[in-house]
Amino acid sequence: MTKQLPKVDVILVGFGWTGAIYAEKLTAAGMEVLALERGPWRDTPKDFATTFAQDELRYYWRHGMFQEASQSTVTFRNNGAQTALPMRHWGSFLPGNGVGGSGVHWNGQTYRFLPSDFVAKSHNEERYGPLPEGMTVQDYGVTYEELEPHFDYFEKICGICGTAGNLRGDIRKGGNPFEGPRSDDYPNPPMQMTFSQDRFEASARDMGLNPFPVPSANMSRAYVNPLGMQLAPCTYCGFCEKHGCGNYSKSSPQTTIIPVLMKRENFTLRTDSEVLSVEKSPDGTRATGVTYIDTSGEEFFQPAEVVVLCAYPLENTRLMLLSDIGTPYDPQTGEGVVGKNYCYQVMSGATVFYDEEYTNGFVGAGALGMAVDEYNGDNFDHSGLGFIGGGYIACYTTNARPIESHPVPEGVPGWGSEWKQSVRANFLKTTTVGVHGASMAHRSNYLDLDPTYTDRHGRPLLRMTYDFTLNDRRLTAHITPVAEEIARGMGGREVNVAERKGSYDSMPYQTTHNTGGTIMGTDPQTSVCNRYCQSWDLHNLFVAGAGLFPQNAGYNPTGTVAALAYWSVAAIIDQYMADPGPLVQA
Amino acid sequence: MSFPTRRKILKSLLFGGTAIAAPSAVFGAIYGRGEGMPWEPLKGQPPYYGTHEDWFFTPDEREAVAAICARLIPSDGDGPGAVEADVITFLDRQMAGFYGRGQHWYMKGPFREGTATQGYQSEHPPAGLYRHALAELDGYCRAQQDAGFAALSAAQQDEILKGMDDEEITFDGVSAKAFFDLILKNTIEGYFADPIYGGNRDMVAWHYVGFPGTRYDYRDFVGHNGARIDLPPVSLMGRPGWNSSE
């Protein structure tokens, strides 16, 4: 029997970055907030201690911080003609689990999307004519200018380290000249770059490009954020991505927001509590609350005035489909919206092998890098190129964790003596120039419920149908040679290029930048949420996360995810509280 | 755990929430309500490293697996291989533990052969795949050479492994290629993982490639400008030189 619990003002489903952001703002505004987190409690001193955080096997290869696939996974296929099969363990991407979510095991690369990224359809059509058949790229419904104060605030919460390239229209040397106008500089100076970035910077400058330090949530110095949270200087240990930071040096919900929130009497967190569905009023116009299950297997109905989906994008989409909210997307007709426009990233790169110089890749940090943005978004003329969008090119020194990272030159076998000796010869003498490419929405890439496979509660798994599109392939074919040219200018013995060819492969790790499925937009016929991230169907249901992106830009998503959360929660507090109802009339 | 204990219901600015029924017990842990960060001593999870009681392989399996690892990462004049790194002990503990059981993996059926892009689709968790594939490998070697894998020459072993890697040798019931890919991945894990897991004994692989291990502060070395940084490795257990016995 389902137990009925006392009503709260707001339920947050999931407690990572967006959950912490909504909770902090809503409790500050006086609301009674309850967060339900499927995974366990986690904190810095206890769970990411520097005496055991640097454990590559445990945290990456045995998936110590991620959702266990046995809890729930996705089924995957490249196209609708194939039978989707479950990802029996994670590979290409790594959904988080537990308090802090993916915000614990991220790298800290904190970009803002370009102004044109938010109006990708109208901007590109105005400049290049109609989008091709099948490309379902849309506008966000919110502009960069509207989000700018929220980008700025999140950068201050995190203490992002960087160099402004465009301060209120003033283009600044050493920053990214293509970024949208910023109302303020970064709160902290860039990280100290190391050998590989110096070589990248020199090579890129020789080519007439404008290299800039990657905006970093790994601290370049001690910092106190607007909530009074103290962050410590990064020690460049290189265990960022896939690991928690025991040094209070990487911004995460734990280091920037949660300790403040835990002191507020109107905030409650229940861990080990998995939401099964969002419940609706009989007339279908409002969410009444959520049904969740705890580790004893007991079910609870938790009523609330407002429900915010703050889980990972894949799980948010699945929850909406399981809860029968909104019309599921149909790739045959192109109608329906939930599960539409699933996108990812298109990654490629070039590895530089040195003979004499040591890159010492173990001296690194998740966001220690230099990048160029000349080939991102619409920063270059796409006329006649046959694609839109782009990507940044960057040289990061993020790790030399040797199970994951032991590059050998082309032609060396994959095992045996020759392989072993080549690993030794090259382990400390390589670096990579990577392309982090956009993924444009296409009619054939989407999420729905799997007809065969179920989770431990008997609910259908989410089914992912995805492959790289013609746009993706042309994009990577155009930009990868630029990365190669930069790499060749960095003075190594040889350069190996990893082009993006063949179908998308669900197994080798690429990025945890899954987007779409609960997209925002200007029209309920083509989007799940309106410009305030509010469900078109249930006015008291809001959705957070990269599932809102109508298509994926050529950047890491966290900065934009956070800005959208701050934008949305401001709308709840400033508009919705005074007059609950649709904030945009359909 | 009872709920609510000393919860203070705040009147919100907007909604007057009405309590309907308080539950008798909630199993999910409850935090917050003004009580601050819930730090408790000894609640962190130390790494699970397995124990000697966890031996999984039979003596014959152990011999075959050790022989396979020794060809994947050979001992040669250049430096230590899987033998010196004791990768077999690592693999034995991994197969005996949650990883071998596939405890964190999605192992519900139906099981179908997938495309190359769909990943692992064996009905067996890792330990089961090892067990079935090793039996098949043993049968193959005895049929071809009248001896188990471990008794063959290095050249013969390499030829068989290459045949599995290239999908020229197939097994009944399990995929020889899936097994090859898995044992290669696991061998590299055991070679380079922290020594607490049984492999990389005495950090030999870290010494060999120049990885300083689990150190966490390199601020003095960021400006190395391409020069070699010589730091002896440290593991989660520290360094042998720090122990009084050495």
Side-chain angles (χ1 to χ4, degrees):
Chain A
M1 201 190 90
T2 303
K3 277 191 178 166
Q4 179 111 346
L5 297 174
K7 196 174 195 174
V8 294
D9 293 337
V10 183
I11 290 173
L12 307 175
V13 179
F15 194 53
W17 264 129
T18 60
I21 288 169
Y22 273 89
E24 196 279 310
K25 289 295 180 189
L26 290 169
T27 52
M31 315 272 278
E32 180 76 24
V33 176
L34 168 66
L36 294 171
E37 166 56 44
R38 178 183 57 190
W41 172 262
R42 287 192 307 212
D43 58 42
T44 301
K46 188 162 59 58
D47 295 292
F48 326 133
T50 50
T51 48
F52 62 71
Q54 298 83 3
D55 185 343
E56 185 185 7
L57 185 81
R58 177 183 183 181
Y59 290 110
Y60 179 22
W61 298 93
R62 298 294 175 262
H63 296 173
M65 295 208 166
F66 315 134
Q67 172 181 324
E68 290 182 13
S70 54
Q71 281 179 301
S72 177
T73 184
V74 301
T75 67
F76 166 73
R77 58 182 178 175
N78 282 122
N79 60 66
Q82 297 174 342
T83 301
L85 296 178
M87 291 176 67
R88 296 194 176 275
H89 59 79
W90 300 116
S92 172
F93 49 86
L94 304 165
N97 190 55
V99 167
S102 305
V104 172
H105 67 75
W106 71 317
N107 255 331
Q109 300 158 10
T110 316
Y111 292 91
R112 301 175 172 197
F113 287 4
L114 294 166
S116 60
D117 288 332
F118 296 98
V119 286
K121 180 178 165 65
S122 52
H123 173 91
N124 282 292
E125 287 197 333
E126 188 181 322
R127 189 166 176 188
Y128 304 109
L131 297 177
E133 171 86 26
M135 182 181 275
T136 50
V137 164
Q138 298 178 186
D139 292 352
Y140 278 63
V142 62
T143 63
Y144 172 82
E145 290 70 26
E146 288 171 310
L147 291 177
E148 201 289 328
H150 305 291
F151 277 117
D152 181 68
Y153 184 73
F154 183 63
E155 287 165 1
K156 291 185 162 89
I157 284 290
C158 287
I160 300 301
C161 310
T163 300
N166 181 346
L167 196 56
R168 296 179 286 275
D170 178 22
I171 302 301
R172 313 268 289 230
K173 194 171 172 352
N176 177 10
F178 298 97
E179 69 177 346
R182 308 169 53 86
S183 56
D184 201 356
D185 204 343
Y186 289 100
N188 284 307
M191 303 189 77
Q192 184 187 348
M193 298 297 156
T194 188
F195 170 78
S196 300
Q197 287 73 50
D198 294 343
R199 289 292 177 98
F200 173 90
E201 183 178 8
S203 177
R205 282 205 198 288
D206 282 351
M207 289 168 61
L209 303 170
N210 288 280
F212 62 92
V214 168
S216 168
N218 321 130
M219 294 302 100
S220 59
R221 63 181 179 187
Y223 177 70
V224 180
N225 82 2
L227 295 173
M229 293 295 299
Q230 298 175 30
L231 290 149
C234 174
T235 58
Y236 298 80
C237 83
F239 288 88
C240 296
E241 190 174 36
K242 300 147 186 162
H243 296 259
C245 178
N247 213 35
Y248 298 86
S249 301
K250 178 172 73 174
S251 303
S252 68
Q254 275 84 348
T255 55
T256 58
I257 298 174
I258 290 175
V260 172
L261 198 50
M262 300 307 287
K263 291 198 280 191
R264 294 192 182 156
E265 293 187 330
N266 53 342
F267 175 72
T268 308
L269 165 67
R270 285 191 206 135
T271 59
D272 301 302
S273 299
E274 181 171 4
V275 172
L276 299 175
S277 55
V278 177
E279 309 302 335
K280 296 185 290 188
S281 60
D283 67 355
T285 62
R286 302 180 74 253
T288 55
V290 302
T291 299
Y292 76 92
I293 190 167
D294 71 10
T295 52
S296 73
E298 183 157 20
E299 280 190 22
F300 300 87
F301 173 62
Q302 173 64 63
E305 291 291 343
V306 172
V307 175
V308 189
L309 301 183
C310 296
Y312 197 70
L314 299 171
E315 189 63 17
N316 278 349
T317 301
R318 179 165 173 253
L319 261 180
M320 290 195 81
L321 291 168
L322 289 171
S323 307
D324 194 25
I325 298 169
T327 311
Y329 173 68
D330 181 343
Q332 303 303 321
T333 64
E335 289 167 5
V337 289
V338 183
K340 186 184 172 186
N341 283 20
Y342 172 73
C343 292
Y344 190 52
Q345 309 266 198
V346 186
M347 314 288 286
S348 61
T351 303
V352 186
F353 293 85
Y354 290 93
D355 258 339
E356 302 300 325
E357 298 92 338
Y358 288 78
T359 54
N360 298 311
F362 55 86
V363 181
L368 178 64
M370 292 289 288
V372 294
D373 226 13
E374 271 76 359
Y375 290 86
N376 212 340
D378 198 35
N379 297 344
F380 59 110
D381 186 355
H382 290 63
S383 300
L385 297 179
F387 70 93
I388 60 167
Y392 70 73
I393 303 168
C395 175
Y396 290 106
T397 302
T398 59
N399 69 78
R401 302 185 295 263
I403 306 175
E404 180 177 4
S405 180
H406 47 258
V408 295
E410 268 166 29
V412 173
W415 51 278
S417 264
E418 190 185 345
W419 171 82
K420 188 186 87 165
Q421 292 176 26
S422 183
V423 168
R424 178 191 54 75
N426 295 294
F427 181 69
L428 298 176
K429 296 183 172 182
T430 61
T431 191
T432 302
V433 176
V435 179
H436 190 285
S439 169
M440 290 298 148
H442 193 270
R443 182 171 172 157
S444 58
N445 289 333
Y446 66 103
L447 305 168
D448 66 354
L449 293 177
D450 191 272
T452 306
Y453 293 96
T454 57
D455 71 3
R456 63 204 167 118
H457 305 304
R459 303 178 303 160
L461 296 182
L462 191 71
R463 177 169 67 178
M464 174 186 290
T465 304
Y466 181 77
D467 207 344
F468 298 123
T469 64
L470 184 60
N471 193 86
D472 296 340
R473 293 173 196 282
R474 287 175 171 165
L475 181 158
T476 192
H478 186 75
I479 303 175
T480 307
V482 183
E484 179 183 354
E485 192 182 344
I486 298 174
R488 292 200 185 282
M490 288 168 63
R493 177 190 74 236
E494 64 180 290
V495 169
N496 290 178
V497 181
E499 295 178 62
R500 179 56 59 197
K501 286 187 172 161
S503 283
Y504 166 70
D505 185 341
S506 69
M507 275 303 125
Y509 182 73
Q510 288 154 70
T511 73
T512 305
H513 303 166
N514 315 78
T515 70
T518 60
I519 63 175
M520 62 194 295
T522 55
D523 178 354
Q525 299 303 313
T526 57
S527 57
V528 176
C529 297
N530 65 25
R531 66 194 300 261
Y532 298 107
C533 316
Q534 178 186 36
S535 161
W536 288 110
D537 295 273
L538 310 177
H539 66 73
N540 64 338
L541 179 71
F542 291 78
V543 182
L548 294 161
F549 299 177
Q551 56 279 326
N552 206 356
Y555 297 102
N556 310 61
T558 302
T560 300
V561 164
L564 286 171
Y566 281 116
W567 157 256
S568 171
V569 74
I572 293 175
I573 294 165
D574 299 340
Q575 301 175 52
Y576 188 81
M577 279 171 75
D579 184 15
L583 295 171
V584 178
Q585 291 306 320
Chain B
M1 191 176 290
S2 65
F3 170 88
T5 49
R6 53 193 182 91
R7 180 179 186 213
K8 185 176 173 187
I9 308 284
L10 291 189
K11 189 170 172 60
S12 84
L13 297 180
L14 171 61
F15 311 111
T18 50
I20 296 175
S24 55
V26 176
F27 270 70
I30 301 176
Y31 302 99
R33 307 204 303 267
E35 294 177 21
M37 295 290 277
W39 190 86
E40 292 175 77
L42 307 178
K43 287 286 185 175
Q45 291 182 348
Y48 173 83
Y49 50 87
T51 69
H52 287 288
E53 285 72 42
D54 285 342
W55 285 348
F56 170 79
F57 294 126
T58 66
D60 284 350
E61 287 172 341
R62 188 178 174 89
E63 200 177 39
V65 170
I68 293 169
C69 298
R71 295 316 304 155
L72 296 176
I73 308 182
S75 306
D76 54 29
D78 198 59
V83 172
E84 292 78 13
D86 201 11
V87 169
I88 183 65
T89 293
F90 169 86
L91 292 177
D92 207 359
R93 292 183 186 179
Q94 290 295 307
M95 291 308 133
F98 73 87
Y99 176 75
R101 292 191 293 273
Q103 194 171 311
H104 300 180
W105 290 16
Y106 182 86
M107 293 306 288
K108 286 173 84 165
F111 290 89
R112 296 196 177 98
E113 196 173 329
T115 65
T117 62
Q118 288 177 308
Y120 193 90
Q121 293 299 335
S122 168
E123 67 189 285
H124 303 292
L129 182 65
Y130 270 67
R131 182 139 285 160
H132 285 82
L134 289 168
E136 287 290 315
L137 176 64
D138 192 60
Y140 177 87
C141 293
R142 290 184 193 284
Q144 299 287 319
Q145 307 287 348
D146 202 24
F149 184 85
L152 304 179
S153 70
Q156 288 171 317
Q157 291 174 336
D158 283 354
E159 197 174 328
I160 291 170
L161 292 172
K162 189 166 185 310
M164 292 162 62
D165 189 12
D166 295 343
E167 299 185 71
E168 282 157 11
I169 293 174
T170 55
F171 295 157
D172 278 343
V174 291
S175 163
K177 174 65 172 170
F179 171 64
F180 178 85
D181 288 346
L182 187 66
I183 196 169
L184 175 59
K185 188 168 94 165
N186 295 156
T187 299
I188 293 170
E189 288 170 354
Y191 190 64
F192 282 125
D194 193 277
I196 58 168
Y197 297 102
N200 191 15
R201 189 173 59 198
D202 300 332
M203 304 181 277
V204 290
W206 290 352
H207 274 291
Y208 177 58
V209 300
F211 179 59
T214 66
R215 294 172 182 274
Y216 81 98
D217 190 348
Y218 295 117
R219 277 173 293 183
D220 288 348
F221 301 94
V222 180
H224 58 75
N225 196 28
R228 186 183 178 105
I229 298 171
D230 267 318
L231 288 169
V234 177
S235 85
L236 296 176
M237 296 182 290
R239 284 181 46 70
W242 295 347
N243 296 334
S244 58
S245 61
E246 194 165 301

